[in-house]
Amino acid sequence: MDLLKKKIEEEGIVLSDHVLKVDSFINHQMDPHLMKEIGLEFARLFKEAGITRILTIESSGIAPAIMAGLALDVPVIFARKRKSLTLTSDLYTATVYSFTKRESNEITVSKKYIHPEDHVLVIDDFLANGQAALGLANIVEQAGATVSGIGILIEKSFQQGAEELIAKGYRLESLARIASLKGGKVTFAEQRIH
Ligand code: G4P
Ligand code: NA
Ligand code: NA
């Protein structure tokens, strides 16, 4: 998606060979016009997929997910993150380990909001090692529902997540794919190398 790539080129800050800071339009300040276009792009990509619900994770997935939900005219659920849980009987839970932060979070979704007949689009801002996306997909599957696709804003193709999601058979659509952040420079990947 050219608009997102342009924004990354103009405002993204390469913090290291592994981390791209996008605080001016995704992770802190947000750009509503960009989010609207992202929602429309996901709707275009998934319009034939029979999506009935969108599932994302707090906090940075919520803005793009709500715009995609608006464009596809479906409800949007965000998984919550918690350190520990007491009552779990009415919740689907998955454990998500972050290699970046070296910590595990339990993510939870109420059983009320995903049903076996649902075709769910999973959305998140970044795809790094894929642990968040896999946790969300796991929750959809616990509900007996179908993961109809995974929509990502920024895929870091040099990390393992994309490969793993594709190997597991999920349809992955990333709006910007980064091949490398080496040398303080963003290099986009044009085609999937598989
Ligand atoms: P994974 O789910 O793909 O395995 O990713 P990882 O554990 O590495 O990601 C942990 C957090 O860091 C996530 O946000 C993720 O969106 C974010 N992240 C990963 N790589 C980058 C990057 O290069 N740049 C930025 N800006 N963020 C990155 P989170 O902790 O869930 O926070 P939030 O959704 O509340 O923002
Ligand atoms: Na995120
Ligand atoms: Na984040």
Side-chain angles (χ1 to χ4, degrees):
M1 186 191 185
D2 290 344
L3 193 62
L4 178 59
K5 286 160 93 174
K6 185 163 172 274
K7 199 82 172 170
I8 291 168
E9 279 174 339
E10 288 173 355
E11 297 187 25
I13 296 167
V14 178
L15 283 189
S16 69
D17 287 358
H18 299 278
V19 179
L20 175 71
K21 191 166 167 155
V22 291
D23 274 10
S24 73
F25 58 104
I26 295 176
N27 286 143
H28 194 22
Q29 174 171 262
M30 293 181 283
D31 180 338
H33 292 288
L34 175 66
M35 288 300 173
K36 181 184 176 192
E37 293 303 320
I38 283 169
L40 290 170
E41 181 69 4
F42 282 135
R44 193 184 64 73
L45 289 164
F46 289 101
K47 66 175 183 292
E48 309 295 338
I51 304 297
T52 61
R53 273 184 165 71
I54 291 173
L55 177 62
T56 187
I57 181 167
E58 64 178 346
S59 55
S60 299
I62 295 176
I66 198 81
M67 297 316 285
L70 186 63
L72 284 164
D73 195 21
V74 296
V76 177
I77 306 146
F78 65 90
R80 291 178 165 156
K81 293 174 192 160
R82 306 192 190 175
K83 282 272 180 278
S84 67
L85 287 172
T86 45
L87 187 73
T88 60
S89 62
D90 57 344
L91 300 173
Y92 296 116
T93 73
T95 303
V96 172
Y97 178 73
S98 169
F99 291 96
T100 307
K101 298 186 168 177
R102 292 198 199 141
E103 64 177 29
S104 287
N105 273 292
E106 208 112 71
I107 66 169
T108 71
V109 174
S110 168
K111 290 182 178 173
K112 271 191 264 186
Y113 301 125
I114 308 183
H115 309 122
E117 63 274 19
D118 275 320
H119 290 261
V120 180
L121 170 59
V122 169
I123 287 184
D124 206 358
D125 57 342
F126 271 92
L127 177 60
N129 293 293
Q131 298 306 297
L134 286 168
L136 293 169
N138 178 268
I139 282 178
V140 172
E141 285 155 5
Q142 285 180 50
T146 306
V147 178
S148 295
I150 298 175
I152 298 292
L153 275 57
I154 303 175
E155 170 190 313
K156 293 187 291 181
S157 310
F158 56 89
Q159 292 183 283
Q160 293 309 301
E163 212 170 303
E164 187 163 346
L165 295 177
I166 290 165
K168 287 194 150 60
Y170 295 116
R171 176 181 169 195
L172 174 64
E173 297 286 356
S174 303
L175 303 186
R177 302 177 54 246
I178 294 178
S180 164
L181 293 172
K182 291 217 171 87
K185 186 177 170 305
V186 177
T187 306
F188 291 107
E190 287 312 326
Q191 291 175 339
R192 273 197 201 289
I193 327 138
H194 286 285

